Amino acid sequence: MNATLAAVLWPQSRNTLLNKAILVVMGSVLLALSSKFKVPFYPVPMTMQTFVVLALGMALGWRMAGATVLLYLVEGAAGLPVFAGTPEKGIGFAYMIGGTGGYLFGFLLAAPFCGWLAERGWDRGPLTTAAAMILGNVVIYFFGVLWLGSLLGWDKPILEWGLTPFILGDLAKVALASAILPLCWQVIGKRRSSTADES
């Protein structure tokens, strides 16, 4: 297995439970912030949350990614306003079993899945990073749309409500991750090469 980006940038995070906990808490805060940050886009404004969910998964690896999203969901279930639209649209467990419940569950599976792929080197190149991000999005939308249809009824335009308006935005986020993550590894490789040359 390959080292994760977080482990390379902060090697101490592999050594102690405290350092791992710090990364998990910081990741949950980043998830909360990303749910509130809206970017004007077509056909609907987009948040950066799915980008952060999947990119964090790839940067942290599957275990810490799973712990990060789980902590985030626990924070939301406890009533903290960490989800998109909270507290205006409700808080706590009642919010989580609403229309976004399936997507939140999808986060819990997609982040570790992308982390598992990253540990096998999928975050090193643009094409594999894009593939991992797309597969992660498929996981999120599978459970999101499945829950939305079960909740509201399949006679409703579920795909028009819960999928198709977000595809362009998600493709843009896939492209962004495909540029950033491999670039980080290139920079790390160059620094290692220059350090080896100096020694």
Side-chain angles (χ1 to χ4, degrees):
M1 288 200 306
N2 294 289
T4 62
L5 193 58
V8 171
L9 293 177
W10 192 26
Q12 295 88 342
S13 66
R14 291 181 289 188
N15 299 330
T16 69
L17 186 60
L18 176 61
N19 289 339
K20 291 177 181 177
I22 290 172
L23 278 180
V24 167
V25 171
M26 289 174 58
S28 73
V29 171
L30 188 57
L31 283 173
L33 293 175
S34 69
S35 75
K36 310 294 184 181
F37 183 68
K38 287 190 176 182
V39 179
F41 205 77
Y42 175 86
V44 294
M46 66 176 180
T47 72
M48 294 302 291
Q49 188 158 42
T50 54
F51 172 84
V52 172
V53 167
L54 302 178
L56 265 181
M58 298 188 81
L60 295 176
W62 77 268
R63 291 180 181 85
M64 291 182 63
T68 299
V69 177
L70 183 60
L71 175 61
Y72 170 69
L73 296 180
V74 168
E75 291 167 352
L80 296 177
V82 296
F83 301 133
T86 57
E88 298 83 7
K89 296 181 180 179
I91 57 172
F93 189 70
Y95 176 93
M96 296 176 70
I97 61 173
T100 60
Y103 301 96
L104 295 174
F105 180 73
F107 289 173
L108 187 58
L109 299 181
F113 175 62
C114 284
W116 184 85
L117 292 176
E119 289 172 356
R120 282 145 185 84
W122 283 49
D123 60 338
R124 306 298 173 101
L127 292 180
T128 52
T129 300
M133 293 286 289
I134 289 170
L135 290 172
N137 273 295
V138 168
V139 171
I140 293 170
Y141 281 108
F142 175 80
F143 290 101
V145 170
L146 184 64
W147 176 257
L148 197 61
S150 301
L151 186 69
L152 302 180
W154 291 103
D155 58 323
K156 306 293 194 304
I158 298 300
L159 295 181
E160 294 177 19
W161 291 349
L163 176 62
T164 53
F166 310 107
I167 290 176
L168 285 178
D170 285 329
L171 289 175
K173 287 180 265 188
V174 166
L176 182 62
S178 300
I180 292 176
L181 292 173
L183 180 61
C184 289
W185 284 112
Q186 289 178 15
V187 171
I188 289 169
K190 288 178 180 178
R191 287 185 177 178
R192 285 177 171 175
S193 297
S194 62
T195 301
D197 292 340
E198 290 173 1
S199 60

